[in-house]
Amino acid sequence: MMNKHTQVIRIIMIATLQLFALRNTFSQATAQRPNIIYMMSDDHAYQAISAYGYGLNQTPNIDKLAEQGVLFKRAYVTNSICGPSRAVMLTGKFSHVNGFTDNHSTFDGNQQTVAKLLHNSGYTTAVIGKWHLVSDPQGFDYWNVHPGQGDYYNPDFIENGIRKRVEGYSTNLVTDFAIKWLDQRDKSKPFFLIYQQKAPHRNWMPEPKYYHLFDSVQFPVPANFFDDYSTRTSAAREQEMEIARHMTDTYDLKLAFDLPKESQRGLNSLWTSIYNRLTPEEKQKWEEAYKPSNDAFYKAHLSGKELAIWKYQRYMKDYMRCVQSVDDNVGRLMDYLKANGLDKNTIIIYTSDQGFFLGEHGWFDKRWMYEESFRTPLIVKWPGVTNKKVVTESMVQNVDFAETILEMAGLPIPTDMQGKSFVPLLKGKQKGNVHDALYYHFYENQEHKVAKHIGIRTDRYKLICFYEKNEWELYDLQKDKSEMHNVYNDPAYGKVQAEMKQKLLELKKQYKDPVPEIIP
């Protein structure tokens, strides 16, 4: 018979073995959980991803994600502007709930985020690249982000609180830092990496190796490039985002280099500070690339429609050159995953913070609830789940991203999040829309003079209310894909108009949006 001392030792040994078994089981479960990389480029229009079929450029590396993933043709945002879109993704909540309504806000980093929830469940986490939320990142083991918008050439980064300037091209550097972190991370844990590029954000400064890419290309001018906005409300006519009228010669179009001091105002002054980040050698290469075409432009003395089209071509070429570097670096990161045996258990989500106008309606930029701005690219590659290309018309929104990521990781979704996980759709278990109607609210009417508005989109219709003007627009997207003909108050759409307005009020109430008090 065992004495008391021997019994105690045996009990301790059994408990210890059980503890080790539990820890081993937890480690195995943790190791089997998928790694997740959330890739977000800034202002990357879906029209500029060749997998979407617009034929403007070639993005072979992003296309490869679509070949083994799900390509969403109807993914949308809740608020089409940089910082707010990022805050929505992190929180799974609309702008009025997470507190970041416009680019003049500061993100409350103390609130619940998807990064914190993953970190607390055993993931090692990092955010690298563009942040644009003002406050320091929280919930990350490592962060290395641009201050503010960031710069293309020799940019500043803030690495875990320490700011420094780094030589090189931003798009490449973000990938360099991401790969370095992946090499040095805690490899006993699954990882969650937010990888966010500045490109192709305004003012579209290409990587030197692509200075002459598209030189011989003439991009097709959109059919509504010379839109006169006559069929819509005053909001469309009062904006300041037309390529022909509102792009600056220096900051946007690179028609001057060193400016006299009396010319250094507004964006021209900003251009000078950006240009002066280049080294003398870089300036020489830049001028060699742009001066011949600039000289030809000055000699041509263009005006009217010819001038507008010249500006459009310069814009498109620089924009697409920036996209090319983004695609290259998606390829670099995917090559790293494959070389290090991580490709089989790493989910890739590729998206943008919103859509972008590439000359449609004569515009650049975003902000509007019109399709080119409201709609964003979204591709999800999930090894073992999405093994062949699937194209879906299901309507999803960026307020769904946090919930989807949590379900991918096997974690519960907090009840205060406002979106819906689309994991069932990725697994082929759900058909149809994730949302039958999408709610939108744009708050900022300063830059580009885009009026504040709310609205909803269903399969066929879109209703927009410019609430400070009490102006409404209604579009039949089946008959009018380019949103050129406002049918609000058209008797033929009276029933549709009433139903859409009622649905807008219902969604506004559902999402607890207190502003505005619109006319029912």
Side-chain angles (χ1 to χ4, degrees):
M1 291 182 63
M2 292 184 289
N3 58 34
K4 267 190 176 182
H5 181 69
T6 304
Q7 285 180 323
V8 169
I9 291 175
R10 186 180 179 188
I11 290 168
I12 291 172
M13 288 179 67
I14 291 170
T16 301
L17 288 170
Q18 288 175 335
L19 178 60
F20 275 121
L22 284 171
R23 288 179 63 182
N24 186 52
T25 300
F26 175 77
S27 296
Q28 288 177 351
T30 299
Q32 290 168 359
R33 286 196 288 175
N35 305 308
I36 303 168
I37 299 181
Y38 177 85
M39 299 182 175
M40 177 188 275
S41 298
D42 196 304
D43 294 345
H44 192 175
Y46 57 84
Q47 309 95 296
I49 295 175
S50 47
Y52 279 91
Y54 286 81
L56 296 174
N57 63 332
Q58 295 299 316
T59 51
N61 295 298
I62 297 173
D63 290 0
K64 285 180 184 177
L65 301 179
E67 288 168 8
Q68 293 183 315
V70 177
L71 182 145
F72 288 79
K73 296 189 74 173
R74 296 201 298 177
Y76 295 88
V77 297
T78 64
N79 183 0
S80 181
I81 193 165
C82 306
S85 182
R86 297 162 196 275
V88 168
M89 171 267 164
L90 283 169
T91 62
K93 299 173 184 176
F94 282 82
S95 299
H96 63 276
V97 177
N98 67 49
F100 202 101
T101 57
D102 56 40
N103 276 345
H104 304 283
S105 306
T106 298
F107 185 68
D108 177 8
N110 294 319
Q111 65 184 297
Q112 171 186 275
T113 67
V114 64
K116 288 182 181 180
L117 293 169
L118 288 168
H119 185 271
N120 293 342
S121 75
Y123 273 75
T124 183
T125 57
V127 57
I128 298 170
K130 188 161 183 179
W131 176 243
H132 206 213
L133 292 173
V134 185
S135 60
D136 289 345
Q138 294 186 34
F140 300 96
D141 295 296
Y142 176 80
W143 51 279
N144 194 358
V145 299
H146 290 303
Q149 290 284 4
D151 287 282
Y152 278 105
Y153 285 87
N154 306 317
D156 290 355
F157 282 87
I158 305 174
E159 184 178 23
N160 291 341
I162 300 172
R163 181 167 177 159
K164 54 189 175 183
R165 184 169 295 191
V166 184
E167 289 187 7
Y169 186 68
S170 171
T171 311
N172 298 330
L173 292 170
V174 169
T175 309
D176 292 344
F177 293 139
I179 289 173
K180 182 178 179 181
W181 178 77
L182 287 168
D183 264 339
Q184 297 177 353
R185 75 187 193 284
D186 181 348
K187 294 182 175 63
S188 68
K189 299 178 179 180
F191 64 80
F192 175 57
L193 169 63
I194 297 180
Y195 164 89
Q196 300 187 138
Q197 292 288 7
K198 170 190 172 58
H201 190 279
R202 189 182 188 191
N203 66 332
W204 318 293
M205 297 181 72
E207 187 178 356
K209 72 178 183 180
Y210 288 132
Y211 281 158
H212 296 289
L213 185 65
F214 302 114
D215 273 359
S216 61
V217 172
Q218 289 294 299
F219 286 98
V221 178
N224 59 0
F225 183 73
F226 293 106
D227 190 351
D228 63 5
Y229 321 112
S230 60
T231 67
R232 272 147 293 153
T233 62
S234 66
R237 296 188 292 275
E238 293 171 358
Q239 46 65 37
E240 295 181 358
M241 53 189 287
E242 292 171 43
I243 292 169
R245 294 199 300 138
H246 301 120
M247 278 191 166
T248 64
D249 289 349
T250 53
Y251 179 69
D252 293 314
L253 299 171
K254 295 92 173 179
L255 280 168
F257 302 118
D258 293 314
L259 296 171
K261 287 185 178 179
E262 60 269 20
S263 298
Q264 294 182 18
R265 300 185 301 274
L267 290 177
N268 284 348
S269 178
L270 179 57
W271 162 250
T272 302
S273 68
I274 291 171
Y275 181 67
N276 285 336
R277 296 185 80 90
L278 277 66
T279 66
E281 294 78 11
E282 288 169 337
K283 285 181 180 179
Q284 182 179 348
K285 290 180 180 178
W286 178 275
E287 294 182 20
E288 288 173 354
Y290 282 86
K291 191 174 187 302
S293 58
N294 286 356
D295 289 345
F297 167 79
Y298 291 128
K299 289 178 183 178
H301 300 291
L302 301 175
S303 62
K305 289 187 175 182
E306 286 186 336
L307 175 59
I309 291 171
W310 185 92
K311 291 180 178 181
Y312 168 75
Q313 295 297 336
R314 170 59 63 93
Y315 159 54
M316 287 290 286
K317 290 176 184 183
D318 282 344
Y319 179 94
M320 293 299 185
R321 289 161 180 157
C322 292
V323 168
Q324 208 66 41
S325 293
V326 169
D327 187 71
D328 287 350
N329 280 278
V330 169
R332 284 183 62 205
L333 195 51
M334 296 305 295
D335 287 346
Y336 172 87
L337 295 178
K338 186 173 183 179
N340 288 271
L342 296 169
D343 57 319
K344 297 294 190 292
N345 194 37
T346 301
I347 296 169
I348 306 295
I349 301 167
Y350 186 88
T351 189
S352 177
D353 44 357
Q354 71 276 308
F356 210 67
F357 290 101
L358 299 183
E360 300 87 359
H361 302 287
W363 292 340
F364 66 103
D365 208 71
K366 56 265 186 176
R367 302 167 201 269
W368 297 94
M369 199 189 172
Y370 302 135
E371 286 293 287
E372 293 84 3
S373 166
F374 180 35
R375 180 179 158 196
T376 191
L378 176 63
I379 299 170
V380 180
K381 175 180 178 289
W382 187 350
V385 175
T386 62
N387 297 317
K388 61 180 181 179
K389 184 172 183 177
V390 173
V391 176
T392 179
E393 295 276 354
S394 179
M395 290 200 303
V396 300
Q397 206 163 17
N398 62 343
V399 74
D400 304 323
F401 290 178
E403 294 86 340
T404 300
I405 290 167
L406 290 171
E407 186 171 352
M408 286 171 162
L411 298 178
I413 298 169
T415 56
D416 61 347
M417 286 188 172
Q418 295 180 293
K420 298 179 181 179
S421 168
F422 49 82
V423 162
L425 186 150
L426 294 171
K427 290 184 174 180
K429 296 179 180 180
Q430 177 180 339
K431 304 296 181 184
N433 289 321
V434 173
H435 298 276
D436 292 327
L438 304 174
Y439 183 72
Y440 182 86
H441 193 160
F442 176 76
Y443 297 81
E444 181 181 326
N445 66 348
Q446 298 182 41
E447 189 177 358
H448 296 297
K449 306 300 182 192
V450 176
K452 298 177 182 180
H453 54 287
I454 63 171
I456 62 164
R457 188 203 197 281
T458 62
D459 269 331
R460 179 168 176 174
Y461 300 105
K462 182 183 295 182
L463 179 69
I464 306 173
C465 175
F466 299 97
Y467 52 86
E468 290 186 334
K469 297 171 170 287
N470 191 23
E471 294 181 346
W472 296 77
E473 293 180 359
L474 176 65
Y475 295 100
D476 183 340
L477 300 172
Q478 188 178 92
K479 295 181 178 180
D480 181 22
K481 291 182 180 179
S482 297
E483 296 165 297
M484 296 292 289
H485 304 287
N486 176 22
V487 295
Y488 191 82
N489 283 339
D490 182 334
Y493 287 90
K495 182 179 179 182
V496 171
Q497 181 173 306
E499 291 173 348
M500 290 291 286
K501 191 174 283 189
Q502 180 60 35
K503 186 65 175 176
L504 174 62
L505 291 171
E506 290 171 1
L507 287 184
K508 183 176 179 295
K509 182 178 180 180
Q510 175 184 327
Y511 294 126
K512 301 177 181 177
D513 189 355
V515 177
E517 289 297 332
I518 60 172
I519 300 171

